[in-house]
Amino acid sequence: MRIITGSARGCRLKTPKGQATRPTSDRIKESLFNILGSKVYGRKVLDIFAGTGNLGLEALSRGAASACFVDQATAALIRENAVHTRLQDRATVHGGDVFAQLARFEQGGASFDLIFCDPPYHKGLFERALTFFDESAVLAHDGILVVEHGADENTMPELAKLSCVLNRRYGHTTQLSFFQRKAYLEEADI
């Protein structure tokens, strides 16, 4: 796994031993960032269930203003990868439970322009995250939420404020779903 383009182009990321983490493949990551295009530059990024930090570090390499990473098991590895890619000055890493950290962000009034959510598949975590972001201001009014989930995970929770604006399937294992606030979509297009 490597950073595809930008200031850290070609840097290989360390991955944890074992099968507990399922990093986003370079092919899917490239497709994701092609879809986002210039919407990454200057953005404040949140990468939850961050694993290796792959998505947030790619965003930093492509010009995101800052990235905040949250993962219970791999915070030390994300810090190592941030240093290795020389992106540590714009990276903040939090360990511990993702939902507890999201609650702290909400209480502190934190807001992010671009959020990557890549939880383990088939555990109900992407649905829980969607419900949180639907009810919270942690996703900025004009922000984009990208959720990576299993190809067979098609049941979305009832969302009052978020709308799925794009869904792409990759093989038999993965989907990317892009969400934005309905109120913002009435004002502008993605």
Side-chain angles (χ1 to χ4, degrees):
M1 181 181 352
R2 63 185 172 83
I3 300 296
I4 297 170
T5 197
S7 65
R9 180 182 182 174
C11 285
R12 296 225 172 259
L13 300 178
K14 293 181 182 180
T15 58
K17 292 179 170 63
Q19 300 293 322
T21 301
R22 173 203 34 79
T24 302
S25 74
D26 285 349
R27 182 179 73 90
I28 294 172
K29 182 170 66 169
E30 188 167 11
S31 177
L32 161 63
F33 282 94
N34 283 341
I35 291 167
L36 291 173
S38 64
K39 292 176 176 67
V40 174
Y41 189 81
R43 296 287 187 130
K44 189 175 174 185
V45 174
L46 174 62
D47 188 351
I48 61 172
F49 303 101
T52 61
N54 186 17
L55 297 177
L57 291 169
E58 183 73 37
L60 286 174
S61 182
R62 291 172 182 246
S66 64
C68 184
F69 301 85
V70 183
D71 197 293
Q72 186 164 2
T74 62
L77 177 68
I78 296 166
R79 284 185 193 97
E80 281 183 56
N81 282 333
V83 169
H84 176 68
T85 56
R86 297 188 175 113
L87 298 168
Q88 72 274 12
D89 292 346
R90 293 181 287 141
T92 306
V93 182
H94 298 274
D97 180 75
V98 168
F99 293 102
Q101 185 60 49
L102 287 174
R104 285 191 284 278
F105 288 147
E106 183 174 40
Q107 290 168 353
S111 179
F112 298 89
D113 307 305
L114 178 58
I115 299 175
F116 299 116
C117 175
D118 183 12
Y121 294 172
H122 305 104
K123 296 189 183 275
L125 296 171
F126 93 88
E127 297 94 337
R128 185 174 170 197
L130 276 174
T131 300
F132 173 85
F133 290 118
D134 190 55
E135 298 169 355
S136 164
V138 172
L139 176 65
H141 175 69
D142 61 345
I144 300 169
L145 168 63
V146 182
V147 179
E148 184 174 331
H149 53 104
D152 58 348
E153 293 182 294
N154 294 311
T155 305
M156 297 287 171
E158 190 95 16
L159 301 172
K161 298 176 184 172
L162 292 177
S163 182
C164 184
V165 295
L166 182 65
N167 177 272
R168 293 281 163 87
R169 185 178 171 141
Y170 299 89
H172 299 292
T173 58
T174 305
Q175 289 184 76
L176 291 177
S177 296
F178 296 73
F179 295 85
Q180 285 194 284
R181 298 211 175 275
K182 292 176 184 178
Y184 175 73
L185 291 173
E186 293 170 2
E187 299 167 10
D189 293 326
I190 182 169

